[in-house]
Amino acid sequence: MNKGLIVSCQALENEPLHSSFIMGRMAVAAEMGGAVGIRANGIEDILEIKKLVDLPIIGIIKKDYENMISYITPTEKELEALIATDIDVIALDATINADIELLKSLKIKYPNQKFMADISTVDEGIRAEELGFDFIGTTLVGYTEHSKGLNNFDVLKELIAKCKKPVIAEGNFDTPEKSRSAMEMGSYAVVVGGAITRPQLIAKKFSDEINKANF
């Protein structure tokens, strides 16, 4: 995977753009805009995107299980489904909420597969590197209970300093300026999602600001 922008092309079932066809076209637009990779959720979306763009794909499956906090590729079932697509990189929750036995087994069972660790703290990122992950991503900083209040740039900076594996900035790097800053700090790549591919969120930013005006 080249250094640069990775665009997360995702739309959940309750979102207006939920459609493999639409996510495929989103990926084409991202490629046209200079993206070096795509992050995608779900087998249908991944297969559609693979047909349309010649970019590396980071694949995940978001799945909620009862009595389980982890939801990003949380079990062996999702892992095997992703591997069957011949995906370039598989991302999964590598926080303290994840199944540690699953994390330990990844490189033993699938030595040729590339894995990205979605973490929320520096300690989790260091642990992920020790477990053999190929990429460390700040995806869940601020989204886990134990990481609320942490600054994503602070976590990113410390991980870059302490990890030998490539560190990917993800999670609220939602402006071109923030993304550039992350790269200048030494991030291998920056994943941007909602700021590019969720028009309802983009529209809301505009409407919220406009509604502050006295008109």
Side-chain angles (χ1 to χ4, degrees):
M1 186 180 298
N2 292 328
K3 294 183 177 183
L5 172 68
I6 298 169
V7 175
S8 181
C9 299
Q10 299 183 44
L12 301 178
E13 290 183 10
N14 62 338
E15 295 182 277
L17 297 191
H18 178 67
S19 159
S20 295
F21 171 79
I22 294 175
M23 288 303 103
R25 303 315 298 176
M26 279 286 189
V28 172
E31 185 176 41
M32 290 177 65
V36 300
I38 303 293
R39 179 164 164 131
N41 171 40
I43 300 303
E44 290 183 4
D45 286 9
I46 290 168
L47 293 178
E48 180 67 15
I49 291 169
K50 281 171 70 74
K51 290 189 295 185
L52 297 172
V53 302
D54 187 26
L55 293 175
I57 300 173
I58 300 171
I60 65 171
I61 295 178
K62 290 183 177 177
K63 178 72 174 178
D64 289 315
Y65 286 99
E66 190 174 354
N67 300 321
M68 196 171 191
I69 299 174
S70 177
Y71 64 93
I72 300 176
T73 320
T75 74
E76 191 86 30
K77 180 180 178 181
E78 290 76 41
L79 192 63
E80 291 181 350
L82 287 167
I83 288 173
T85 70
D86 194 28
I87 196 79
D88 299 285
V89 181
I90 294 174
L92 64 163
D93 186 328
T95 70
I96 60 172
N97 297 324
D99 181 349
I100 185 60
E101 295 305 319
L102 176 65
L103 302 185
K104 288 179 178 179
S105 71
L106 294 177
K107 281 299 184 178
I108 298 172
K109 289 186 176 180
Y110 314 104
N112 298 319
Q113 176 66 54
K114 299 290 187 182
F115 292 100
M116 174 176 169
D118 288 347
I119 58 84
S120 65
T121 68
V122 172
D123 287 345
E124 290 168 350
I126 293 171
R127 184 184 73 165
E129 181 173 64
E130 292 171 349
L131 290 171
F133 277 86
D134 302 281
F135 301 94
I136 313 298
T138 59
T139 316
L140 294 170
V141 176
Y143 291 97
T144 59
E145 283 296 326
H146 56 281
S147 70
K148 287 183 178 178
L150 294 182
N151 180 281
N152 57 343
F153 275 100
D154 290 342
V155 174
L156 177 66
K157 182 179 180 179
E158 193 169 348
L159 282 172
I160 291 169
K162 293 183 175 180
C163 293
K164 295 180 180 179
K165 294 292 180 66
V167 178
I168 295 177
E170 182 173 3
N172 296 312
F173 295 90
D174 53 1
T175 68
E177 294 75 19
K178 289 180 184 178
S179 297
R180 176 182 172 182
S181 293
M183 293 299 293
E184 289 176 340
M185 288 171 60
S187 178
Y188 187 84
V190 182
V191 178
V192 181
I196 296 175
T197 59
R198 284 188 162 101
Q200 74 274 18
L201 300 182
I202 301 168
K204 190 174 187 306
K205 285 185 178 181
F206 280 89
S207 64
D208 286 350
E209 197 62 29
I210 288 170
N211 287 335
K212 294 177 184 177
N214 187 15
F215 63 88

